[in-house]
Amino acid sequence: MSVPDFQQSFAVFDKDGCLVEWNADFVQEFSVAAPLIKIGASFQDIVSLVYANPGDSAPDLSMDAAQLASHREDVLGNFGKNRQFQYRRGDRVFHVRESLTQSGGIHRLARDVTAERQISEKLAEAERRLKVGASEGSSVP
């Protein structure tokens, strides 16, 4: 399994969902579709190629074929709307934000938030332990 290593993936699509601008991290995020990534490439074609090769770079490889198909339809069906979501690839978590541009196009940013999530989970666990400890220490015999 190939898990991408990127800081912040960036792409702009026109109102028809065709690629206008992108950075190298976008190519890394969708590495299996790299040969398609050029001006005018459709988001649908890029995503379809990624999901057609789930062993390479599809999100959450623990999904079965039906779950992958449903996830693909969700990604494509909601493209072009202002939205934020996260997806997993291996043990990494990526946060995606898609927003509409003034001309009706789509601005897409994705970044690896794995470290942030791990820190949040550790903080929540520490707070839980602190509350348990405080309640145990406050009981008077």
Side-chain angles (χ1 to χ4, degrees):
M1 172 179 64
S2 173
V3 179
D5 182 22
F6 62 88
Q7 296 298 310
Q8 184 160 303
S9 170
F10 160 84
V12 175
F13 295 84
D14 65 17
K15 61 184 168 84
D16 297 320
C18 295
L19 193 58
V20 176
E21 189 64 51
W22 63 96
N23 67 359
D25 287 343
F26 179 79
V27 177
Q28 182 63 34
E29 181 184 5
F30 292 96
S31 58
V32 72
L36 290 181
I37 298 175
K38 58 185 173 191
I39 291 178
S42 77
F43 185 69
Q44 180 172 349
D45 289 346
I46 293 167
V47 168
S48 294
L49 186 55
V50 168
Y51 281 85
N53 296 286
D56 292 331
S57 59
D60 197 349
L61 295 174
S62 65
M63 293 181 183
D64 63 26
Q67 291 171 316
L68 276 173
S70 175
H71 193 268
R72 176 187 172 274
E73 291 308 312
D74 179 59
V75 168
L76 292 175
N78 288 300
F79 187 68
K81 299 176 183 175
N82 287 322
R83 69 183 188 136
Q84 295 185 47
F85 62 95
Q86 293 185 349
Y87 72 90
R88 296 186 77 79
R89 202 181 286 174
D91 61 349
R92 310 244 317 260
V93 179
F94 300 92
H95 180 82
V96 178
R97 182 173 46 177
E98 296 172 349
S99 53
L100 296 175
T101 65
Q102 289 287 355
S103 63
I106 300 99
H107 177 258
R108 183 184 186 281
L109 290 173
R111 64 186 181 90
D112 188 337
V113 294
T114 306
E116 293 169 30
R117 286 199 47 170
Q118 290 170 343
I119 290 169
S120 290
E121 289 168 2
K122 287 179 183 177
L123 179 60
E125 176 60 21
E127 288 174 342
R128 186 194 65 74
R129 285 194 321 262
L130 182 62
K131 285 179 183 177
V132 168
S135 68
E136 289 174 357
S138 66
S139 52
V140 179

